[in-house]
Amino acid sequence: MALPACAARALGPPLQPEHRAPARTTCPRRHSRVEAELAASQPGSVAASVRAGPPRGVSHGFNSRPLRDEPIKASFSLAGALSAPLFALLPRGCRRRMNDLRRRWDLGSLCRALLTRGLAALGHSLKHVLSAIFSKIFGPLASVGNMDEKSNKLLLALVMFFLFAVIVLQYVCPGTECQLLRLQAFSSPVPDPYRSEDESSARFVPRYNFSRGDLLRKVDFDIKGDDLIVFLHIQKTGGTTFGRHLVRNIQLEQPCECRVGQKKCTCHRPGKRETWLFSRFSTGWSCGLHADWTELTSCVPAMVDGKRDARLRPSRNFHYITILRDPVSRYLSEWRHVQRGATWKASLHVCDGRPPTSEELPSCYTGDDWSGCPLKEFMDCPYNLANNRQVRMLSDLTLVGCYNLSVMPEKQRNKVLLESAKSNLKHMAFFGLTEFQRKTQYLFEKTFNMNFISPFTQYNTTRASSVEINEDIQKRIEGLNFLDMELYSYAKDLFLQRYQFMRQKEHQEARRKRQEQRKFLKGRFLQTHFQSQSQSQNPGQNQSQNPNPNANQNVTQNLIQNLTQNSSQSLSQKENRSNRKQNAGQEQNDSNSSSGASDYIGSVEKWR
């Protein structure tokens, strides 16, 4: 059988026959291929066992017996002689040669041999190409041609890995759509301390001008005194989560006692049987379900001190706090909550000492609840309290006649409500935004000097975010809540300016503390320098005149007094020279030296 030239080169020289075996190159053609296959298919034949042999890739071990140079025992019966395979009757050398040919012409071995030779040839070619390139670029520094076999294998592995990575990258990111290939993906931007949790624009442009008093919010809240924190909880603004933080996640000398299975917690002042927090989870809905600004300002003082005599009531400070949310998200969240059966029928809506009548505040549904209502029906109701709810709950309704719409025109009523809500929000002790949880936590801690145990978590995926609306519906919701949109824009601007102002103030205080610390260290250095200098000048006199341990301090004080006298003399000289207007350059140097000495002396006297 003739082999192709490429296959012969890939397979190498033929295997040499064993010792004492005839060196034949071809097998005698005594039997056809059909007879050999028929002999190998018989289960009890020797050829079948020889053909089966060990598994491919497994060498002969003690569990498998190789073909021996022993004569095959003939069968004693006629049936055995007739059923003996024709392959077993071949000469021993021919059988071995046929097995060698079968193993050499195995397809897997041939592919492996071709792949190995091909990769070796490819690596050899790449080595010469790279050596030529490096020799032209680096000249005598390139020594790729003298690379040993190990470096060749390493180079081949790197080339194959690069090709594999290119194939995978083209499969994952076809064309130019892959953003990973851009240079900005490999850059590491510096984290912005003012970056919002919702990944919006980090640097905002202020729209409103606020004074320092509006931006600086630092309440002197004494939990052991008589002050009270009042939480105004607006529906679907994340107030439930924030209320739980107030009673369960705040560091206090006497933490709130929260029992399992109960919504309300007992939040008493240290050493007193009196609460410091007026909220849903501490006192319950004492002034009605989701009481607004108008209800709380008239209800809370009477609720807390109503049983006491007016002359015995303490002078309390009521610190109002609240949480706001994006109007569109809040509106959709309330619609989904109403769909599930929420009604808030227990809300009192007390204004001017009475609740509204059915004519002043009609209902949008006739049954027990409004469950299952579509969004269009929810938006079509003109008496829906979800419209501009945040402005209504933060404004003083007594200014517009409560819920009586006939007191003033609608345009004037809306203007008064919006201005009242903005004023109340600005003068509140604290307010936060649902979209900025970490900043809300930071501002509350800086305002009340109270720290939370664990940080707030920003949940960007809510029930409102799962509602898919088109642009027309969104514009209609913004139109129904145009007052809330104006109030939220105002609140967001004030909130972010307060956050930035507090951060800058914090950085300034840290810088001032570092400067004071450096001055203190310089003063200590001067003090030790003076002590060592005085001891070196008069060692015997110090020991004889100052037997007490405070001798060094007396010497230091004398030196400081001398320095102060010298500094005062230099200051007087400075004034005289400035009056005479002579020697301007020398005057500047003397003033700098005198001021520096006075700073050091002042720091020493301060930190002593």
Side-chain angles (χ1 to χ4, degrees):
M1 181 182 300
L3 299 177
C6 60
R9 286 194 302 269
L11 294 175
L15 299 175
Q16 297 296 330
E18 296 182 0
H19 187 61
R20 296 180 182 180
R24 299 181 182 178
T25 57
T26 58
C27 182
R29 300 185 180 183
R30 299 182 181 180
H31 309 286
S32 62
R33 180 180 179 183
V34 178
E35 292 176 347
E37 292 180 357
L38 180 62
S41 63
Q42 294 182 5
S45 63
V46 179
S49 62
V50 172
R51 191 173 183 96
R56 182 177 300 174
V58 179
S59 61
H60 293 284
F62 61 90
N63 291 328
S64 60
R65 301 178 61 185
L67 188 63
R68 298 179 179 179
D69 295 337
E70 296 180 358
I72 301 176
K73 298 181 180 179
S75 178
F76 291 98
S77 59
L78 181 60
L82 293 176
S83 62
L86 298 177
F87 181 79
L89 299 178
L90 294 176
R92 188 168 53 250
C94 186
R95 292 199 305 268
R96 187 175 295 106
R97 185 61 178 171
M98 291 180 65
N99 289 329
D100 294 339
L101 288 175
R102 180 180 61 83
R103 287 195 297 267
R104 290 180 59 182
W105 279 98
D106 184 52
L107 183 59
S109 301
L110 180 62
C111 292
R112 285 194 296 270
L114 292 175
L115 183 61
T116 304
R117 295 298 179 89
L119 292 177
L122 178 62
H124 188 69
S125 302
L126 289 174
K127 183 187 71 171
H128 285 288
V129 171
L130 292 177
S131 63
I133 294 174
F134 288 158
S135 61
K136 290 182 179 180
I137 295 176
F138 299 101
L141 297 178
S143 59
V144 185
N146 299 326
M147 298 169 64
D148 53 357
E149 185 178 358
K150 191 181 219 178
S151 59
N152 291 340
K153 291 182 179 179
L154 180 61
L155 179 62
L156 180 61
L158 291 176
V159 171
M160 295 302 296
F161 177 77
F162 176 74
L163 294 176
F164 179 75
V166 170
I167 294 173
V168 172
L169 190 61
Q170 289 295 327
Y171 178 77
V172 175
C173 304
T176 59
E177 299 176 358
C178 185
Q179 302 295 330
L180 296 176
L181 297 179
R182 295 185 180 181
L183 294 177
Q184 62 182 5
F186 298 96
S187 61
S188 56
V190 179
D192 193 348
Y194 304 115
R195 187 163 185 81
S196 59
E197 289 88 348
D198 58 354
E199 298 300 328
S200 62
S201 179
R203 301 292 182 181
F204 72 99
V205 179
R207 295 177 52 191
Y208 302 91
N209 295 324
F210 297 102
S211 63
R212 179 183 175 85
D214 297 335
L215 299 179
L216 181 58
R217 269 292 181 265
K218 196 170 184 62
V219 177
D220 188 12
F221 177 72
D222 185 11
I223 195 173
K224 297 181 180 180
D226 298 319
D227 296 348
L228 189 69
I229 295 178
V230 183
F231 180 38
L232 196 159
H233 187 178
I234 304 175
Q235 289 93 319
K236 313 312 295 179
T237 57
T240 302
T241 304
F242 184 77
R244 288 197 182 100
H245 281 301
L246 292 178
V247 298
R248 298 176 183 269
N249 188 31
I250 199 166
Q251 296 178 1
L252 297 173
E253 181 181 350
Q254 182 178 343
C256 299
E257 297 180 2
C258 301
R259 298 181 180 180
V260 180
Q262 295 183 0
K263 291 184 177 180
K264 293 195 302 181
C265 302
T266 304
C267 299
H268 286 162
R269 305 180 191 271
K272 295 183 180 180
R273 303 284 297 176
E274 184 181 352
T275 184
W276 57 271
L277 177 64
F278 193 93
S279 68
R280 168 189 178 184
F281 293 104
S282 58
T283 58
W285 303 111
S286 301
C287 294
L289 180 62
H290 289 285
D292 54 18
W293 173 271
T294 308
E295 294 176 286
L296 288 177
T297 52
S298 61
C299 171
V300 172
M303 183 66 63
V304 175
D305 300 323
K307 298 180 181 180
R308 298 183 182 182
D309 190 4
R311 294 173 297 178
L312 300 178
R313 294 178 183 177
S315 57
R316 298 181 185 272
N317 293 322
F318 297 96
H319 304 291
Y320 289 88
I321 62 175
T322 189
I323 300 292
L324 297 181
R325 188 180 179 183
D326 176 70
V328 177
S329 301
R330 198 213 64 81
Y331 189 84
L332 293 174
S333 181
E334 182 171 347
W335 165 62
R336 293 294 299 270
H337 198 59
V338 170
Q339 267 193 334
R340 297 191 297 270
T343 58
W344 296 298
K345 288 182 178 180
S347 298
L348 302 177
H349 303 295
V350 176
C351 180
D352 230 353
R354 66 175 183 86
T357 62
S358 58
E359 290 79 11
E360 293 176 344
L361 190 61
S363 178
C364 290
Y365 54 92
T366 56
D368 295 334
D369 54 27
W370 208 2
S371 59
C373 71
L375 181 58
K376 185 177 183 304
E377 182 180 350
F378 189 78
M379 293 187 296
D380 290 342
C381 180
Y383 313 107
N384 193 350
L385 292 178
N387 301 336
N388 297 313
R389 181 182 289 277
Q390 298 183 93
V391 170
R392 180 182 59 82
M393 294 190 67
L394 289 175
S395 61
D396 188 1
L397 297 179
T398 58
L399 300 176
V400 294
C402 296
Y403 294 92
N404 189 2
L405 303 180
S406 61
V407 175
M408 61 179 64
E410 182 181 1
K411 187 175 181 180
Q412 183 181 359
R413 175 187 175 89
N414 293 335
K415 183 178 180 181
V416 172
L417 287 176
L418 181 59
E419 293 300 325
S420 176
K422 287 182 178 180
S423 177
N424 294 334
L425 186 69
K426 183 175 65 176
H427 293 93
M428 272 186 173
F430 164 79
F431 74 91
L433 299 181
T434 309
E435 289 76 18
F436 304 92
Q437 290 292 321
R438 293 294 179 88
K439 293 180 176 61
T440 299
Q441 176 185 357
Y442 175 81
L443 287 179
F444 183 88
E445 292 177 347
K446 294 299 179 182
T447 302
F448 290 96
N449 197 18
M450 303 169 70
N451 297 324
F452 290 95
I453 300 173
S454 59
F456 289 7
T457 305
Q458 182 70 43
Y459 297 104
N460 293 325
T461 303
T462 58
R463 292 189 177 94
S465 62
S466 62
V467 179
E468 296 182 359
I469 57 175
N470 53 29
E471 187 177 357
D472 295 337
I473 295 179
Q474 183 173 357
K475 288 183 179 180
R476 186 179 179 188
I477 294 175
E478 292 176 357
L480 293 173
N481 297 271
F482 67 99
L483 295 179
D484 278 5
M485 296 293 295
E486 183 72 20
L487 177 65
Y488 184 78
S489 176
Y490 176 86
K492 184 177 179 180
D493 192 275
L494 177 59
F495 178 84
L496 293 178
Q497 287 195 43
R498 281 181 178 177
Y499 176 79
Q500 187 172 4
F501 179 80
M502 294 300 292
R503 288 297 296 264
Q504 292 177 357
K505 188 173 180 295
E506 184 181 10
H507 294 333
Q508 291 175 1
E509 290 179 356
R511 191 183 303 111
R512 181 180 56 82
K513 289 181 179 179
R514 290 194 299 268
Q515 292 176 357
E516 290 180 354
Q517 187 177 7
R518 285 195 293 266
K519 288 183 179 180
F520 171 72
L521 294 177
K522 290 179 180 178
R524 291 290 299 272
F525 173 74
L526 282 176
Q527 181 179 1
T528 55
H529 178 68
F530 291 155
Q531 290 178 0
S532 61
Q533 190 175 8
S534 61
Q535 290 177 2
S536 62
Q537 290 178 358
N538 300 319
Q541 185 178 359
N542 292 335
Q543 293 178 1
S544 60
Q545 296 180 359
N546 299 324
N548 56 343
N550 297 326
N552 293 331
Q553 295 182 0
N554 296 330
V555 173
T556 306
Q557 291 177 359
N558 294 330
L559 291 173
I560 292 174
Q561 290 177 1
N562 295 330
L563 284 175
T564 53
Q565 292 176 1
N566 295 331
S567 64
S568 62
Q569 293 177 2
S570 62
L571 288 174
S572 62
Q573 293 175 1
K574 172 188 172 183
E575 294 177 356
N576 296 330
R577 290 172 182 174
S578 62
N579 294 330
R580 295 174 183 176
K581 297 182 180 180
Q582 295 177 357
N583 300 328
Q586 186 176 1
E587 175 189 352
Q588 184 176 3
N589 296 331
D590 294 340
S591 63
N592 293 334
S593 61
S594 62
S595 61
S598 61
D599 290 339
Y600 288 141
I601 296 167
S603 62
V604 172
E605 293 179 349
K606 180 178 180 182
W607 291 104
R608 278 183 58 81

